[in-house]
Amino acid sequence: MASSLNSSFQTSNLRTVFLGKKNQVCVSSVPVNRVGFLRKTVVCKESRIGKQPIQVPSNVTITLEGQFLKVKGPLGELSQSYPREVNVEREEPGTLKVKKAMETRRANQMHGLFRTLTDNMVVGVSKGFEKKLQLIGVGYRAMLEGRDLVLNLGFSHPVRMEIPDGIKVKVEDNTRITVSGYDKSAIGQFAASVRRWRPPEPYKGKGVKYADEIIRRKEGKAGKKK
């Protein structure tokens, strides 16, 4: 039987190796010079967010110079530099389109990100953004003194924060703070800095929280049962 297997494998021009004398296991292998590897081309999918066009209102002026974009509107002016993985193009009057310049994983990641950043710039200089905060706790209050926001959050001293340029802060009823402006990232950064002084705790909910924030409450320590 082994001789018939040898003869059949020799006619097919394959090398044959026997492993073990008792089991007579026959393993066939192809010569190394005949082995080939099939490389498959991976095509990155286009981002669902990145492929959407950006509508530019009539009161917004767009200046595009290579990989640098400047947006000017009634509320302010913003600019953004783009990496080499993406390009910004004007499809038609009143429309911007962010496209991938190459087919790589990083280009696919940058596509949706910079489309969102560009849209935030256009919306910011035309309509603006706002973030609302709320103070919860006995004696917690906020007030404005010039360009400073003064917070009483239970410390031995009041917390004084300087309001950055391009941001407006409004205080209502000493417990509600509204941060507004045309730069969405700057608004979010300042609001997060205010909240960081006294994050809401999970038992009574005391602290500084966003107006739309939901705090997961914990049950307090139960009293001794009689």
Side-chain angles (χ1 to χ4, degrees), residues 203 219-223:
Y203 295 100
E219 186 178 358
K221 189 174 181 181

Side-chain angles (χ1 to χ4, degrees), residues 63-96:
T63 304
L64 182 60
E65 298 177 357
Q67 295 294 95
F68 185 78
L69 176 68
K70 184 184 293 184
V71 181
K72 187 177 181 180
L75 299 181
E77 182 178 339
L78 292 172
S79 59
Q80 177 70 51
S81 296
Y82 293 83
R84 59 186 180 89
E85 286 84 4
V86 295
N87 292 326
V88 186
E89 298 179 0
R90 242 181 230 186
E91 291 287 320
E92 56 187 36
T95 304
L96 283 178

Side-chain angles (χ1 to χ4, degrees), residues 38-226:
L38 181 62
R39 182 171 295 179
K40 186 178 180 181
T41 305
V42 179
V43 180
C44 299
K45 295 182 179 179
E46 192 173 11
S47 172
R48 291 177 294 178
I49 297 176
K51 66 183 180 181
Q52 297 177 4
I54 301 170
Q55 301 298 329
V56 181
S58 58
N59 58 352
V60 175
T61 304
I62 300 294
T63 304
L64 182 60
E65 298 177 357
Q67 295 294 95
F68 185 78
L69 176 68
K70 184 184 293 184
V71 181
K72 187 177 181 180
L75 299 181
E77 182 178 339
L78 292 172
S79 59
Q80 177 70 51
S81 296
Y82 293 83
R84 59 186 180 89
E85 286 84 4
V86 295
N87 292 326
V88 186
E89 298 179 0
R90 242 181 230 186
E91 291 287 320
E92 56 187 36
T95 304
L96 283 178
K97 193 74 178 291
V98 180
K99 296 182 179 181
K100 293 188 294 182
M102 56 187 70
E103 289 292 338
T104 60
R105 178 177 295 180
R106 179 174 170 81
N108 201 41
Q109 296 168 349
M110 296 293 104
H111 190 201
L113 171 64
F114 278 91
R115 189 269 171 196
T116 302
L117 294 177
T118 307
D119 185 64
N120 289 342
M121 291 167 56
V122 175
V123 175
V125 298
S126 59
K127 299 179 181 179
F129 295 98
E130 68 175 16
K131 198 83 171 176
K132 295 185 177 181
L133 300 164
Q134 187 176 359
L135 276 63
I136 300 175
V138 178
Y140 288 10
R141 64 182 185 272
M143 64 185 71
L144 290 174
E145 293 183 1
R147 290 291 297 172
D148 291 344
L149 176 64
V150 182
L151 304 170
N152 291 320
L153 301 174
F155 298 116
S156 60
H157 60 282
V159 177
R160 185 178 295 271
M161 300 184 64
E162 184 180 357
I163 301 173
D165 296 334
I167 292 180
K168 297 179 181 179
V169 178
K170 182 180 178 182
V171 179
E172 298 176 355
D173 299 333
N174 294 329
T175 56
R176 295 199 299 270
I177 304 172
T178 302
V179 184
S180 60
Y182 57 88
D183 191 349
K184 188 175 183 179
S185 60
I187 294 170
Q189 182 63 42
F190 183 77
S193 301
V194 175
R195 183 184 180 275
R196 194 180 299 120
W197 281 105
R198 184 71 78 176
E201 49 93 13
Y203 295 100
K204 295 183 179 180
K206 294 173 58 177
V208 183
K209 76 179 192 69
Y210 299 116
D212 55 352
E213 183 179 2
I214 298 175
I215 303 171
R216 298 188 62 180
R217 305 292 287 271
K218 291 183 179 180
E219 186 178 358
K221 189 174 181 181
K224 186 177 180 181
K225 296 182 179 179
K226 296 184 179 178

